[in-house]
Amino acid sequence: TFLGVGEVEDAGAAEEWGGHESLGRVSGVPGGSSWVMELLLTNDGSEAWPAGAALTCCFGSGFGCGGIDLVGEGVQVGETVSVQMELVAPEAPSTTAWALTIGNVCIGPAMILEVA
């Protein structure tokens, strides 16, 4: 969910990003504008995500959000958590990505967001 933004194009196929996940392409947002992106993350793996797991910027500027800790004592297999990220639109078209991490270890694919 994108709150307070212009137009959002469909996320598209993961093949476009080499198996990573596309969060979509946002357009029509003036540079410097603040907006909120809500992600629903589901643990579809075989092990729980421990307390301390975070969504961490792994490419680009993060649009003002370098990372955010997941709330709670961990995320069990099959459980879904909501993450709200406060972002700032870049002045020029840009791409950034976040990955689910535990410390310095990525435990999921990069999630890529484009702003046109």
Side-chain angles (χ1 to χ4, degrees):
T1 303
F2 297 88
L3 307 172
V5 300
E7 298 179 34
V8 179
E9 292 181 31
D10 187 1
E15 294 84 33
E16 177 182 351
W17 291 102
H20 298 295
E21 298 295 324
S22 173
L23 298 174
R25 179 177 295 143
V26 178
S27 61
V29 182
S33 298
S34 296
W35 49 290
V36 175
M37 178 174 64
E38 180 181 26
L39 296 176
L40 297 176
L41 303 174
T42 300
N43 181 349
D44 61 359
S46 59
E47 296 181 29
W49 301 338
L55 200 55
T56 306
C57 181
C58 61
F59 176 80
S61 70
F63 302 144
C65 182
I68 189 165
D69 293 332
L70 300 184
V71 179
E73 296 298 314
V75 180
Q76 299 304 311
V77 172
E79 187 176 11
T80 299
V81 294
S82 173
V83 176
Q84 289 193 347
M85 302 170 72
E86 295 181 19
L87 306 175
V88 177
E91 296 295 332
S94 187
T95 301
T96 197
W98 298 270
L100 190 60
T101 61
I102 300 170
N104 291 326
V105 177
C106 291
I107 63 169
M111 293 171 266
I112 300 165
L113 179 64
E114 299 175 88
V115 174

